[in-house]
Amino acid sequence: MDESKLSLEARELLSMRDDVFDHWEASVRAEIKGAAELIGPALTDNLPSLYENLAEAISPGIARQTATENSTAAMAHGSERARLTCFGPHEVLREYQLFRDAIREVSRSHKVAWPDAVWAAISRSVEIASCEALEEYAATHERTRRKVAAALSHDMRAPLSVMKNGAQLVCLTDDSALARRSAEKICRHADRLESMMCDLLDALTVLREETPPLILSNFDMLDLASDVAHQFSDGDGGPFLVVGDSVEGHWCAPAMRRALENLVSNALKHGTAGEVQITTRERRGRLSLSVHNHGRPIPESKRERIFGYLNRHQGDGVLGWGIGLSFVRSVAESHGGSAEVDSSAAAGTTFTIEVPVDCRPFVKHATKCAQSAI
């Protein structure tokens, strides 16, 4: 910014910037629910950019009619509020109102006298910024709902496949015990499918969460891994080996199960004939849950983007990895961890979820968000 081209009012506005943001931050933390928990940079976000644009907007010699003209700063602010905070649309609107009020209150304390035209320009810029932020806030949540709906729809294929295989087995077998076990499996996966449908409906209506709220419980991850391997083995999915430690911790069982199912499904789809290995390890208070398969490695050029939403990897004539791996990463991150991949021609491909053994301290904020949305 060339301050020599700014008007007197604009230079005065910039001179009291720190006081304005101190006043605004105090007001927002005191009035808006959830703001008190945000650290300073997260709360302030990119409003300083809008503030500098305001200085240009009240300078007649600069071709910027409003603070939002030629800028996506307000849209970026709305997107971050949707993705990173518990703020609702009313809170987003209110923080812009408090922003305008902070400028007015601090200008009075500095005893600056601006003409009505300057105040009109400031008010108009803040109003437009709030509208653009709210539009992007709503658009971000809509994209989020679509992503979750697509991911859950994708996950429904696994229980549907098991149910179909079980029904075919019942039709073909004369063994009543085998038919009974297959029927029990069908019922169990029908219950899981019903649960996923409930999650899907939540995803279409809930405004604040990119993934459904985590329901934490204490269980042994080795037991869950063994159950998933048994589930796919019964569906003629191939040979499985489950190894590692018995790791008991606090996680969301439905979310971790679906993430593991996605990894196993990918291993079967993209791996060559051979064993699929699921491994559970505990290292320094963290769970390492990995799925390994042999086969053609993931190209280095695709490795970095493999967890991206709708990133689809073409390999061995099979198109996939468009939604499932994005969900895997989302589950890992929502538990306070991460997801990674190691792939080479010599060693095969291993996808790993690394999360704290006790993830409760790491999802505390997300839980509060979910509760505040009720």
Side-chain angles (χ1 to χ4, degrees):
M1 182 186 301
D2 185 355
E3 295 196 11
S4 65
K5 297 182 180 179
L6 296 178
S7 64
L8 172 62
E9 293 85 0
R11 291 195 294 273
E12 290 175 335
L13 180 69
L14 291 177
S15 70
M16 59 188 191
R17 171 170 36 199
D18 290 339
D19 291 341
V20 168
F21 277 99
D22 287 344
H23 187 287
W24 173 82
E25 184 172 332
S27 299
V28 170
R29 291 189 184 280
E31 185 172 327
I32 296 180
K33 185 177 181 180
E37 300 171 4
L38 298 177
I39 61 174
L43 180 62
T44 305
D45 197 73
N46 65 350
L47 282 180
S49 296
L50 183 70
Y51 194 87
E52 291 184 359
N53 290 352
L54 269 177
E56 294 186 348
I58 61 175
S59 297
I62 297 179
R64 188 191 289 273
Q65 301 301 311
T66 68
T68 60
E69 185 176 2
N70 304 323
S71 171
T72 62
M75 296 172 64
H77 181 80
S79 177
E80 287 207 24
R81 286 301 192 244
R83 292 181 290 107
L84 304 177
T85 75
C86 302
F87 287 14
H90 295 294
E91 285 76 17
V92 175
L93 176 60
R94 183 57 181 152
E95 66 174 335
Y96 275 99
Q97 293 172 340
L98 292 174
F99 182 60
R100 177 200 59 202
D101 294 345
I103 295 174
R104 188 174 294 276
E105 292 296 325
V106 172
S107 67
R108 288 173 180 168
S109 67
H110 282 237
K111 295 182 170 52
V112 297
W114 294 339
D116 291 341
V118 169
W119 284 114
I122 291 174
S123 295
R124 182 165 178 264
S125 287
V126 173
E127 288 174 3
I128 294 174
S130 64
C131 289
E132 290 187 359
L134 286 171
E135 288 178 0
E136 187 60 25
Y137 177 93
T140 298
H141 277 303
E142 180 61 28
R143 289 192 295 269
T144 290
R145 287 194 293 270
R146 290 179 180 178
K147 287 182 180 181
V148 176
L152 288 172
S153 298
H154 171 271
D155 290 342
M156 289 177 184
R157 295 177 184 176
L160 280 173
S161 176
V162 175
M163 292 166 65
K164 181 179 179 180
N165 290 339
Q168 291 172 341
L169 187 58
V170 170
C171 293
L172 294 174
T173 186
D174 294 326
D175 187 334
S176 59
L178 179 59
R180 187 180 304 108
R181 289 197 300 272
S182 297
E184 291 172 352
K185 183 178 292 293
I186 291 172
C187 291
R188 186 165 65 251
H189 284 274
D191 290 339
R192 290 194 55 242
L193 187 60
E194 181 181 12
S195 175
M196 288 183 182
M197 291 179 68
C198 291
D199 288 342
L200 175 58
L201 291 174
D202 288 342
L204 295 173
T205 56
V206 175
L207 291 176
R208 284 180 171 82
E209 290 295 314
E210 183 169 348
T211 54
L214 299 182
I215 303 172
L216 303 180
S217 61
N218 180 254
F219 62 94
D220 192 323
M221 188 59 69
L222 185 62
D223 292 340
L224 186 145
S226 300
D227 190 54
V228 169
H230 180 69
Q231 163 193 323
F232 278 88
S233 296
D234 285 356
D236 294 327
F240 286 87
L241 177 64
V242 180
V243 300
D245 307 323
S246 174
V247 185
E248 187 172 321
H250 286 84
W251 308 284
C252 177
M256 293 296 286
R257 173 184 285 274
R258 294 215 303 274
L260 182 57
E261 287 174 346
N262 272 294
L263 293 180
V264 171
S265 178
N266 280 338
L268 293 173
K269 185 186 301 181
H270 299 282
T272 57
E275 210 165 51
V276 172
Q277 179 171 307
I278 306 175
T279 306
T280 59
R281 300 285 188 196
E282 180 179 355
R283 297 180 293 196
R284 300 181 65 85
R286 286 174 67 88
L287 163 73
S288 175
L289 174 65
S290 64
V291 176
H292 174 269
N293 66 274
H294 297 282
R296 184 178 299 178
I298 301 170
E300 185 176 356
S301 61
K302 297 183 181 293
R303 223 170 286 153
E304 188 175 330
R305 298 179 287 111
I306 198 70
F307 290 100
Y309 180 70
L310 292 183
N311 180 72
R312 301 176 68 81
H313 171 63
Q314 179 77 50
D316 297 326
V318 180
L319 185 65
W321 287 331
I323 296 175
L325 289 179
S326 176
F327 178 78
V328 169
R329 181 178 64 178
S330 176
V331 168
E333 291 178 352
S334 67
H335 281 78
S338 59
E340 61 189 61
V341 62
D342 186 287
S343 186
S344 67
T349 298
T350 303
F351 282 93
T352 303
I353 296 174
E354 290 259 0
V355 293
V357 169
D358 185 354
C359 72
R360 288 174 294 181
F362 300 91
V363 300
K364 183 178 179 181
H365 178 69
T367 302
K368 286 184 178 180
C369 286
Q371 291 173 344
S372 67
I374 297 174

